[in-house]
Every structure is written in C-alpha cells, then in structure tokens.
Amino acid sequence: MNPILPPMPGASTDAAALHLVDIYAHSDILFASPHITLLGRGVFKAITPTANTLSRDVNALLISARQAGHEYPIVAGAIPFDSTQPACLIAPAQLDVAPALGAQAGTLSERALGMGECMPKPVPVPQRYCQGVDDALARFARKELDKVVLSRALDIEANADIDMSALLNNLLRQNPHGYTFAIPLGNKTDYPHVFTGASPELLVRREGNRVIANPLAGSAARSTDIAEDERRAAALLSSTKDHHEHAIVIDAVSAALRPFCTTLNVPEGPELTSTETLWHLSTTLVGELKDPETTSLDLALAMHPTPAVCGHPTRQAFDAIGEIEPFERGFFTGMVGWCDSEGNGEWAVAIRCAEIKQRRMRLYAGAGVVSGSTPEKELAETGTKLRTMLNAMGIKDADVNSAIEVSQHTNAYKDDARKDNAPEKA
C-alpha cells in the first residue's frame, strides 16, 4: 500500500509546491495541506454523486482512471454540508504532487488583489443572526438540542475580477499550517465558480492503516497585544462552556471512528492551537484501521457532519439549522479533499471559505451555540472567523467592518431582538 502519493519529478523542496501555486488556473483543483500539495489540471471525468452512491461512484471513477492509463489516479473536490445534495468531484487529467509548503508558506509576500472599494451585504443582518441564537437557546431550554452551529454569510462585489492566484498565495501565507483549497464548480468552459478557503480543521486523514482526525471546537479571538493574547488563550483552555462544546464533538467523532478501528487513542483533554485570527481547542485522535478496504472517503462520510459544524443531536441540529438560517450552506461546512486508488487521502472541514465568481463572492462563518452562549458573543465570533478570507483579500475598510462587527448593531439588536425569531429564506 502506498500511503503517500509520489511527488512530481524534481519535487524535493518547497520550491516545487510554490511552483504549483504559481501555475494554478481557475479551472484547476488545488489542495495544500501540512503533508502534501496537489494540483489537478484538466478533467479526466467529473461526477456529482449524492451520499447514497458517493463511495461506489468514486471507486468506479478511480478504476476507470487506472484503466485509462493514470499511474496514480485520485478523485478530489468538495462534498456539501447536506450530503443528499450533489457533490463536486473530479478525476484530473493531470496530477502534479509536491511536498507540503510547511514553514515556507509563511515567507510568502502578501499580494494585492486589486479589488478596490467594495460594498458588503450581510446575510442575515446581524440583528437577525442574534435572534437566531436566541431561538437556539430557547430550544436548549426545551431540551430539544445540546448544541447547534449557526452561520451567516457576507456577500461582496468588487469592482474587478478576483485574482485567485493572489488570493491563494495570501491564504497560504497567513495560514501555513492549514488546509488551503480551490475547487472549480460548474461549467468549465466559462469562468467557473470557485470554492476556496483555508480551513484549520482536519476531518480525517488515512495513511495506509493509520487514521488521524483533528476536531476543533471552542474558539477565542486572538489579540495583537501579547499579554492579552495569552490571557485569552488561558481563558479558553479553562472555559467550562467551551470544554462542554468540545466534548460533544469528540464524543461524536470517536463514536463514528471506533467501528472502523482496531485501536483508537483519544486524549483525555484538548490542547490549544491557533490561526492568525483565532485560538481553538483541539484534540488529535489516532487509530489503526480494521479493514484495509475502508477508504479515507468512507471514513469522512461516516463522520460527516460532526457536531463541530452541525450540532447535537445531529438530526435535530440539522433541522434547526434549516429553520433558522436564511440561506442554503452549499459546500460550506461540508468537506474538501482527495482520495486515491489505495484508499489513502485527506479531507478537511470546509470552513474559513468563500464561493467566488469573477468579482462576486460569498464568505461564510459559523459559531457553535450551546447553553451559556450569548447572541453578542456568537456574532463577534463569526465576525472574527470572516476575517480569514477578508484579510487574505486585503479588505479592511470601514464599510466591511461595520457589516461584520458587533459594535455597530448591539443597540439595534437589544431594541429589536425578539420581535421576529423566524427569518425567511433569502
């Protein structure tokens, strides 16, 4: 069994990974993790299966690619939050593989996207998002749920097409230890939609018989002041509310993985990990696979959606999201990654992301709501999470700040918070 795809000829340094980012085009698939950098160019075949046939269709596509002469066939792409909806998966015509960028990513220079001024539109408006959190808290009081993840979006239109190469460069620079991705959606003969982002969260990785998962749940905003940043990290690590939220996720992930593993190591408590904008509670689970026929995709589907992006109990949380959120998530909080013909692969949780077409984009962010949450704090957390994409785009103007920050809307929320707890679908 081959746990790691072979690198392209001469790919022995970070320069090879940087080259793949430099030659990326809008119709390509890019997936850069702490372990590998993949660039898929052209399309051997694309499929759009739903959950019922997904594993079978992917396996058939990999066999077909092998029969067509692909020495190292893979399928890569995105699977939506609602897995009954179509996935977007591609076996590329050409695959280039390089080592992970690693620390080299952090040395990249920031590149301007040339977007100019842009007008943001929050969906829903912050007051309505706060009302949604109140709705969730009422459901907790009625014992309907333990946790639900509520998200919001930010629609932005720039005055020029988005430079995807510059955006990916900036995402890699700012998030060198994350999972940076770009997945083309829709018609490849036109300028495609691109689903892109830099997720901090590994759903699952399979390397031969080894299984690794790294759920994140419980967050706190970073501070540029070192002492304050350390205080926030310590407060998160000692937070009863955030430990409860994290434990719900770990229990669900370990329950999903145990049937597939002969052994599964689950640490007693979480550690701290960080991105440029957030501290997270993190736990790494490591197991040994029971059946070598179980693929990375099989494992990912068994885990998805975790309480980190949906809630608990899953069915009730999923239904609550559909009733409270005024938009369809699509691929946001789904998963992105790849699987090869040996069953190895990596799948990351599709967060810190955006869907982009030419000059239009929709950014997404969510927050886990549990008993003890407050609407203002969850709104603030989603605003901080939107910053991953906004920072990479170089958007720091006041119009966008006022669209995502709590301070501009707190009074309006308090005056109008409970007038309408059932926003309509946009």
Side-chain angles (χ1 to χ4, degrees):
M1 193 168 283
N2 178 32
I4 301 175
L5 289 168
M8 62 184 186
S12 58
T13 68
D14 288 329
L18 292 173
H19 174 68
L20 296 188
V21 178
D22 287 341
I23 65 173
Y24 163 85
H26 288 89
S27 58
D28 294 341
I29 289 180
L30 178 76
F31 186 83
S33 81
H35 311 281
I36 200 167
T37 305
L38 303 176
L39 181 68
R41 292 188 279 175
V43 178
F44 167 68
K45 186 176 181 181
I47 56 174
T48 57
T50 58
N52 289 339
T53 65
L54 209 153
S55 289
R56 183 188 68 198
D57 291 351
V58 166
N59 184 58
L61 179 52
L62 288 167
I63 292 172
S64 175
R66 174 77 75 178
Q67 292 172 342
H70 292 228
E71 188 175 3
Y72 300 106
I74 72 161
V75 171
I79 294 168
F81 170 65
D82 179 356
S83 57
T84 66
Q85 297 300 307
C88 180
L89 298 170
I90 298 170
Q94 178 180 335
L95 176 66
D96 291 327
V97 184
L101 274 166
Q104 181 71 17
T107 67
L108 294 171
S109 299
E110 184 173 1
R111 291 172 57 184
L113 274 69
M115 293 173 56
E117 293 184 0
C118 51
M119 294 301 295
K121 177 186 176 183
V123 183
V125 297
Q127 297 98 309
R128 287 293 183 96
Y129 181 80
C130 289
Q131 291 164 14
V133 175
D134 272 335
D135 186 328
L137 294 172
R139 294 173 192 242
F140 299 154
R142 296 192 298 266
K143 307 298 183 183
E144 297 174 8
L145 291 169
D146 295 322
K147 173 183 177 178
V148 65
V149 178
L150 296 180
S151 61
R152 62 190 182 115
L154 191 67
D155 289 342
I156 296 177
E157 183 167 357
N159 57 14
D161 290 354
I162 307 304
D163 183 339
M164 282 297 304
S165 179
L167 175 58
L168 288 169
N169 176 88
N170 293 348
L171 286 170
L172 285 162
R173 183 183 68 84
Q174 295 172 10
N175 304 276
H177 305 298
Y179 299 81
T180 300
F181 58 90
I183 312 294
L185 309 176
N187 187 353
K188 307 301 184 297
T189 62
D190 191 7
Y191 189 108
H193 281 83
V194 178
F195 184 55
T196 187
S199 173
E201 185 170 359
L202 173 69
L203 181 63
V204 69
R205 182 169 74 254
R206 176 183 181 256
E207 301 173 342
N209 288 327
R210 194 165 181 251
V211 177
I212 305 98
N214 184 206
L216 307 180
S219 305
R222 301 289 305 271
S223 173
T224 55
D225 179 87
I226 294 176
E228 174 61 16
D229 195 47
E230 291 176 350
R231 187 198 68 78
R232 293 182 184 184
L236 176 63
L237 195 57
S238 62
S239 165
T240 300
K241 175 252 184 190
D242 288 287
H243 273 261
H244 171 61
E245 180 182 348
H246 192 81
I248 290 173
V249 175
I250 299 307
D251 288 347
V253 168
S254 59
L257 287 178
R258 285 191 193 281
F260 297 97
C261 297
T262 56
T263 61
L264 183 68
N265 178 49
V266 183
E268 291 186 3
E271 299 177 334
L272 283 172
T273 188
S274 65
T275 66
E276 182 187 49
T277 57
L278 284 157
W279 287 103
H280 293 286
L281 294 180
S282 165
T283 296
T284 300
L285 296 79
V286 180
E288 288 294 318
L289 198 62
K290 185 183 300 182
D291 182 355
E293 297 299 315
T294 302
T295 70
S296 64
L297 182 57
D298 294 331
L299 295 168
L301 290 172
M303 298 167 65
H304 175 69
T306 74
V309 296
C310 183
H312 183 77
T314 302
R315 184 70 254 175
Q316 290 89 329
F318 186 91
D319 290 343
I321 288 167
E323 294 166 7
I324 296 172
E325 291 184 356
F327 59 87
E328 301 299 331
R329 289 190 179 186
F331 292 102
F332 168 61
T333 62
M335 50 185 171
V336 292
W338 61 277
C339 181
D340 69 12
S341 59
E342 299 292 333
N344 300 297
E346 287 182 298
W347 296 91
V349 181
I351 52 177
R352 313 296 191 274
C353 58
E355 197 169 314
I356 295 175
K357 186 172 184 181
Q358 293 178 287
R359 63 186 60 188
R360 295 179 180 177
M361 67 203 84
R362 169 166 280 193
L363 284 61
Y364 299 93
V369 182
V370 295
S371 180
S373 294
T374 66
E376 294 89 347
K377 288 183 179 179
E378 303 312 315
L379 181 65
E381 181 176 323
T382 57
T384 300
K385 289 174 177 177
L386 285 168
R387 272 282 151 217
T388 294
M389 293 300 299
L390 291 170
N391 289 347
M393 293 171 177
I395 299 176
K396 300 179 176 67
D397 61 82
D399 287 334
V400 174
N401 287 339
S402 67
I404 68 171
E405 290 180 353
V406 163
S407 59
Q408 301 294 322
H409 302 280
T410 300
N411 291 335
Y413 161 66
K414 288 178 178 177
D415 291 341
D416 192 43
R418 294 168 180 83
K419 289 182 181 177
D420 181 2
N421 283 341
E424 296 180 358
K425 292 285 181 183

